[in-house]
Amino acid sequence: MTEVNRPPRVGGWTRFVTARPRLSLVVALVLTALAVLAGSGVADRLGSGGWEDPDAESTYATRALEREFPASQPNLLLLVDAGSASVDDPGVAAEARRLTARLAAEKGVTGVGSYWQSPSPALRAEDGHEALIAARITGEEKEAGETLDRIAPEFRGAHGPVEVSVGGPVAVRHEMQTIIQEDLLRAEVIALPVTLVLLVMVFGSAVAALLPLGIGIVAILGANAVLRGLTEFTDVSVFAMNLTTALGLGLAIDYALFIVRRFREELAAGAEPLTAVGTTLRTAGRTVLFSALTVAVSLAAMLLFPQYFLRSFAYAGIAVVLLAAAAALILLPAALVLLGHRVDSLDLRRLLRRGRPEASGRATGTPRGGAWTRTANLVMRRAPFFALGTTAVLVLLGLPFLGVKFGTADDRQLPSSAESHVVQQHIRDGFPGSPGGGLEVLAEGRATPAQYAAYKERIAGLPEVLRVDGPLVKGESAYFTVLPKGEAVDDPAQRLVDELRATRAPFDTKVTGAAAVLVDSKDAIAERLPVAAAFIAVVTLLLVFLLTGSVLIPVQAVVLNALSLTAMFGAVVWVFQDGHLSGLLGFTSPGSIETTLPVLMFCVAFGLSMDYGVFLLSRIKEEYDETGDHDQAVLHGLQRTGGLITAAAVILAVVMVAIGTSRVTNTKMLGLGIALAVLMDAMIVRSLLVPAVMRLTGRATWWAPGALRRFHERFGLSEGEPTAAPATEPARERDKVSAHG
């Protein structure tokens, strides 16, 4: 290969970030301090909903009922427990009526009703010892939460002959938001020191270990400021804070690991610090930028869905990915220029070595011999076995997902001891017809009492209907409450939604309620999922082609990345839907998976898989460009990045497991599921399946039509600048230069 006499395309960038390194770090410190101020209080501005489609029929009906019939949409339930007495005892009834009147007088509360005002069987437990007071707290989530904080202490607890507990959707959302904030703080306290220990084990040097951790902290603080700014323009889910912390810390550490490792490698080869930084940015820096783009693309696919729960993850995720990459490409090079060879200072592993010679490359996580060399040689020699074997194992692990059942996020997301969960569980177990979980049918248009009665008779005759209440009429609008025979959102309730929407009526009807929201949410996701998947696939194919210049490698990357997620999806169903390990992990299985969670987990895990895929492919491409030897390039790429990718995956998994210690089931599922996906991708797919498949495809791996080759030569990216080395240079000659530990 002949040398190309043109300046590196990133040379100007190298000069920019290294010209005044002290000034860069001071500016970064000031901006970080401002980010801390800007991001303060962000959790209080985040929402705990966002699972519904804002343009769906159920959403329209919910808003109309809230406006015209606020009592039809109670979001606050007071469970009145009479102990051993009956709720119909005179003393119990008198105290309950007093509580009902007192609640109706509270500011911000409307639509108050109770069993003692209108003795509906749905509001009385079957054993006769409990009954409900229902009301609606008005206002948006933040305002409703403040109202709940104000009034809940006044009603909770003992009142004469009764004991009152607070529940309902507004209490569930508020308690969930509070628990998530507390759990996130605990996760950060767990993740940061454990991550530091792992980084010291990877690098040996305490100085080198602190650099990735510092970059991660900067990314997290910056992302919190971005989230705070986003809340001024759009709704953002409180769950997004967990992803912000995990990605901010995990990806910043990944990128910093990659850059610091390459910098130390260049120093070990004899380069001066400034030259080493320049080479690092031309090689590892390009890969980091490319990796950030691939992760951002996967997260951007969630913008195609209407639910703000998913969209908020896209906003927050893209912001934190770009901040992590910016910190790694701007602040880290400035720090490396100032540190120079002192990046290897404070070798904390020296005490453990006790005079033994240091293994080449161990500190960088890129051994030239030992386990990774043996693994690479074994995989290359037995490529068909590893390709078929790992594929079969991954497919088997994913089979439980074929039995997935989709549901909604409810109180069972909370710990079993949470008050709102206890209230809802009492209602599920002891009250007929799932009160609070019924379906509402909004009727719009003029109608006579006879027409209302005829419609009510038709829907009462549907096989899944337990009882129909109403209509309550106001002007030209009315509504009916339909109680299903089973659970609020089980399969029969969802079928009932379709039956109600298909029932003839002399007026316009709209159906809402928990089951209707679920049906509409599933329809919205199913409608947009093919577009989102195509977007991820097409953009990923293009980006990987720009990196490699190959037609086959992008296809391999997309297929193998998707295959790497099978274990995560299988485990999600087996553990969180079917309830296996629920006692060990401390959660209550609702028997279903919240509809948006698989979409979120796919987008995040696919992006992280591409992150590691880019690290491996870029090094293989660099070696192939220099030697023209396909097998040696694959072998060398696995040797040089296997330890690095594994270390990065373990660190990111630690962060995700810390998130997975949350007491909220969806957050636990997100953290533990993605931790599993990351480990499976790094240790199985990148270490075994990818090199095995590339060994089988041989030199055809790099084929591309002439027009695409010319396109790549002009617009493509690669990790290395062309060198003067001949194409036949054995890679083992270059491997004589070992990375300093």
Side-chain angles (χ1 to χ4, degrees):
M1 184 179 294
T2 59
E3 184 176 5
V4 179
N5 295 317
R6 55 186 173 90
R9 278 176 275 177
V10 292
W13 181 254
T14 302
R15 289 192 296 272
F16 171 75
V17 298
T18 60
R20 291 179 174 81
R22 289 182 178 82
L23 178 61
S24 297
L25 295 178
V26 169
V27 170
L29 182 62
V30 172
L31 291 177
T32 302
L34 293 175
V36 171
L37 296 176
S40 61
V42 61
D44 296 331
R45 299 180 62 86
L46 302 178
S48 53
W51 291 283
E52 68 280 355
D53 177 2
D55 298 322
E57 173 183 318
S58 56
T59 305
Y60 170 85
T62 297
R63 291 171 179 168
L65 289 171
E66 288 175 355
R67 183 177 60 251
E68 301 295 335
F69 305 98
S72 69
Q73 298 279 299
N75 58 10
L76 176 66
L77 298 175
L78 300 185
L79 178 67
V80 180
D81 185 354
S84 59
S86 168
V87 294
D88 295 314
D89 285 356
V92 171
E95 181 62 27
R97 291 191 184 97
R98 187 186 70 80
L99 289 171
T100 303
R102 183 176 163 191
L103 181 61
E106 292 285 351
K107 182 181 179 182
V109 178
T110 187
V112 179
S114 72
Y115 166 74
W116 296 273
Q117 287 179 316
S118 54
S120 169
L123 298 177
R124 180 182 184 272
E126 293 174 337
D127 64 6
H129 298 304
E130 294 175 329
L132 294 173
I133 300 173
R136 180 163 191 85
I137 296 180
T138 59
E140 298 296 330
E141 282 187 28
K142 186 174 186 298
E143 183 182 353
E146 292 172 349
T147 301
L148 181 67
D149 281 336
R150 174 172 53 82
I151 67 175
E154 301 296 325
F155 289 88
R156 179 185 294 119
H159 295 269
V162 300
E163 184 81 19
V164 177
S165 301
V166 179
V170 69
V172 171
R173 287 197 302 268
H174 191 59
E175 200 161 6
M176 188 179 298
Q177 188 170 19
T178 301
I179 290 176
I180 286 175
Q181 294 176 33
E182 295 171 354
D183 290 349
L184 182 60
L185 179 61
R186 187 183 68 251
E188 291 172 345
V189 170
I190 294 172
L192 289 175
V194 175
T195 297
L196 180 58
V197 171
L198 291 174
L199 287 169
V200 170
M201 292 173 63
V202 171
F203 283 117
S205 160
V207 173
L210 286 171
L211 290 174
L213 194 62
I215 296 299
I217 292 172
V218 169
I220 291 173
L221 296 176
N224 284 340
V226 171
L227 279 181
R228 175 62 178 80
L230 287 172
T231 60
E232 296 290 339
F233 307 100
T234 186
D235 292 320
V236 180
S237 170
V238 68
F239 288 94
M241 285 192 67
N242 296 285
L243 182 68
T244 299
T245 296
L247 287 184
L249 187 59
L251 288 179
I253 288 175
D254 281 0
Y255 298 156
L257 270 173
F258 202 57
I259 288 175
V260 173
R261 187 269 301 174
R262 188 62 182 245
F263 175 74
R264 300 174 82 197
E265 197 174 286
E266 296 300 323
L267 289 182
E272 292 298 318
L274 188 58
T275 303
V277 168
T279 303
T280 298
L281 286 177
R282 287 199 305 274
T283 54
R286 287 181 176 181
T287 301
V288 165
L289 180 60
F290 207 85
S291 172
L293 290 175
T294 59
V295 177
V297 164
S298 294
L299 297 175
M302 288 186 284
L303 293 173
L304 299 173
F305 296 92
Q307 294 91 339
Y308 91 69
F309 175 79
L310 288 175
R311 296 174 69 89
S312 62
F313 278 96
Y315 299 138
I318 292 171
V320 75
V321 168
L322 296 182
L323 281 169
L329 295 175
I330 298 174
L331 303 183
L332 189 55
L336 292 175
V337 168
L338 292 176
L339 287 171
H341 290 279
R342 288 173 295 180
V343 73
D344 292 324
S345 300
L346 300 179
D347 188 349
L348 300 180
R349 298 186 309 186
R350 187 172 300 166
L351 295 176
L352 300 178
R353 287 196 292 267
R354 295 184 178 180
R356 289 179 297 175
E358 183 177 355
S360 174
R362 186 175 299 168
T364 63
T366 56
R368 304 307 177 93
W372 283 108
T373 297
R374 291 192 297 272
T375 299
N377 283 318
L378 178 62
V379 171
M380 299 294 281
R381 287 197 308 269
R382 300 287 187 268
F385 170 79
F386 282 101
L388 294 175
T390 53
T391 299
V393 169
L394 291 171
V395 170
L396 286 173
L397 291 175
L399 288 180
F401 192 72
L402 296 178
V404 65
K405 298 177 182 177
F406 294 109
T408 58
D410 59 19
D411 60 282
R412 285 168 288 192
Q413 296 288 320
L414 296 170
S416 57
S417 59
E419 182 184 21
S420 57
H421 183 174
V422 172
V423 170
Q424 297 303 128
Q425 194 62 47
H426 273 254
I427 293 172
R428 268 190 297 270
D429 294 340
F431 286 72
S434 187
L439 296 169
E440 286 84 25
V441 180
L442 172 68
E444 295 181 309
R446 288 187 178 276
T448 64
Q451 289 174 320
Y452 284 135
Y455 177 72
K456 179 178 181 178
E457 184 177 350
R458 279 197 293 272
I459 60 178
L462 296 175
E464 305 297 342
V465 173
L466 175 67
R467 192 179 71 255
V468 183
D469 295 329
L472 184 63
V473 182
K474 181 180 179 181
E476 295 186 3
S477 298
Y479 83 92
F480 301 82
T481 299
V482 182
L483 293 181
K485 290 180 178 178
E487 287 281 344
V489 293
D490 60 7
D491 290 339
Q494 294 178 54
R495 288 196 298 270
L496 179 57
V497 172
D498 295 330
E499 293 169 358
L500 288 171
R501 288 173 174 173
T503 301
R504 291 183 300 105
F507 34 72
D508 292 332
T509 61
K510 301 286 190 298
V511 181
T512 187
V517 171
L518 174 58
V519 168
D520 290 340
S521 181
K522 288 167 62 175
D523 290 345
I525 289 176
E527 179 184 351
R528 293 163 176 83
L529 190 59
V531 179
F535 171 78
I536 292 176
V538 170
V539 179
T540 300
L541 290 171
L542 176 61
L543 289 174
V544 178
F545 171 76
L546 291 175
L547 176 69
T548 63
S550 162
V551 170
L552 184 58
I553 289 179
V555 176
Q556 289 179 354
V558 170
V559 173
L560 299 186
N561 270 21
L563 189 60
S564 72
L565 307 184
T566 54
M568 175 185 73
F569 284 122
V572 160
V573 170
W574 191 78
V575 175
F576 292 96
Q577 175 181 294
D578 299 341
H580 298 99
L581 306 180
S582 59
L584 177 64
L585 297 177
F587 69 92
T588 301
S589 172
S592 61
I593 303 298
E594 201 283 315
T595 314
T596 59
L597 255 294
V599 176
L600 169 62
M601 296 177 74
F602 174 83
C603 292
V604 174
F606 189 91
L608 293 175
S609 296
M610 279 304 306
D611 185 47
Y612 298 131
V614 167
F615 287 172
L616 176 60
L617 290 175
S618 63
R619 206 59 190 256
I620 293 174
K621 178 66 164 60
E622 180 184 5
E623 179 69 11
Y624 183 74
D625 286 344
E626 294 188 8
T627 68
D629 185 332
H630 172 75
D631 289 350
Q632 184 63 32
V634 176
L635 183 68
H636 181 83
L638 185 57
Q639 288 174 332
R640 296 292 293 273
T641 62
L644 174 71
I645 290 174
T646 302
V650 168
I651 292 171
L652 181 55
V654 165
V655 177
M656 296 307 305
V657 168
I659 296 296
T661 61
S662 173
R663 293 165 290 170
V664 176
T665 304
N666 271 357
T667 306
K668 188 185 297 290
M669 187 190 311
L670 178 67
L672 297 182
I674 293 179
L676 176 62
V678 165
L679 292 176
M680 292 295 292
D681 182 75
M683 297 182 177
I684 303 298
V685 175
R686 301 300 151 202
S687 300
L688 303 177
L689 187 55
V690 169
V693 170
M694 293 187 76
R695 172 67 177 83
L696 293 175
T697 53
R699 290 183 61 88
T701 302
W702 305 98
W703 177 84
L708 290 180
R709 281 200 306 272
R710 290 188 292 274
F711 179 86
H712 179 264
E713 289 170 0
R714 182 172 181 181
F715 300 105
L717 301 172
S718 62
E719 183 170 305
E721 290 294 336
T723 69
T728 58
E729 177 192 2
R732 62 179 177 271
E733 291 298 320
R734 296 192 321 112
D735 284 347
K736 292 178 181 179
V737 180
S738 64
H740 177 62

